[in-house]
Amino acid sequence: MRAYTTRRVQPRPPSQSCSELTRWMGVGDANVTGNVHGGTILKLCDEVAGIAAIRHSGCRVVTAGMDRMTFLHPVSVGNLVTVRASVNAAWRTSMEVGVRVESENVRTREVRHTSTAYLTMVALDEEGRPTEIPAVAPGTEVEERRRREAQIRRDNRLSERDALVHGRA
Ligand SMILES: CC(C)(COP(=O)(O)OP(=O)(O)OC[C@H]1O[C@@H](n2cnc3c(N)ncnc32)[C@H](O)[C@@H]1OP(=O)(O)O)[C@@H](O)C(=O)NCCC(=O)NCCS
């Protein structure tokens, strides 16, 4: 762990970090069969998660990691893709952002939940050091469940990292 800066920060509800981006998928986003690259969706998730993390922390942020990216359905050229993000939980300098991806067939208006992703973003101060961020104050049962599940994912991540380090020692 490196030195981090502290600030006087008030808890914030997830509703204050809600962020949304919509993009129309073109041929440049897809492979030869017309299916959109997973990487295109990942980039959109990273962008919207960054916006949510900046809204929550009021700082610039970097992506420390991404896990649990599932693709439930293919996305096709011509679909409208919407990514929605909010901060599920915040710790000392890092936060978990949950992202829901939906794709819409514009002609039929059919909307499908295509992916869910969880990203860890770290807030940085002006010198590029990790900096303290506000806690998350859940306002609803769903927000409380998201915070609880984010804590489980963080605990699993840290215990996996410790197990790997001990395994090498
Ligand atoms: C993320 C980064 C700032 C962490 O720096 P660090 O020196 O490890 O700092 P710390 O050990 O103090 O960790 C800071 C926080 O990041 C978290 N963190 C660090 N590495 C992580 C990882 N791989 N996954 C999830 N969280 C991580 C820590 O748990 C800590 O969180 P906490 O303060 O809430 O407990 C640093 O690794 C970095 O700059 N990485 C490159 C980020 C980047 O460029 N992303 C763009 C994609 S290429």
Side-chain angles (χ1 to χ4, degrees), residues 26-97:
V27 286
D29 298 312
N31 61 27
V32 287
T33 64
N35 285 335
V36 169
H37 297 295
T40 302
I41 307 288
L42 291 176
K43 184 165 184 286
L44 272 177
C45 290
D46 193 34
E47 284 173 357
V48 78
I51 296 167
I54 292 168
R55 282 185 169 149
H56 180 80
S57 64
C59 299
R60 69 191 177 97
V61 300
V62 285
T63 310
M66 179 187 249
D67 54 65
R68 304 293 169 89
M69 183 73 186
T70 52
F71 291 104
L72 305 173
H73 306 283
V75 179
S76 306
V77 169
N79 282 174
L80 209 55
V81 171
T82 298
V83 286
R84 291 188 184 86
S86 59
V87 173
N88 289 334
W91 296 281
R92 189 182 52 115
T93 65
S94 68
M95 60 209 112
E96 183 196 91
V97 185

Side-chain angles (χ1 to χ4, degrees), residues 1-2 62-65 91-94 120 122 124 130 154 157-158 161:
M1 186 196 300
R2 66 174 144 161
V62 285
T63 310
W91 296 281
R92 189 182 52 115
T93 65
S94 68
T120 302
V122 176
L124 302 179
R154 176 179 162 96
R157 247 189 326 264
L158 293 179
R161 191 183 63 184

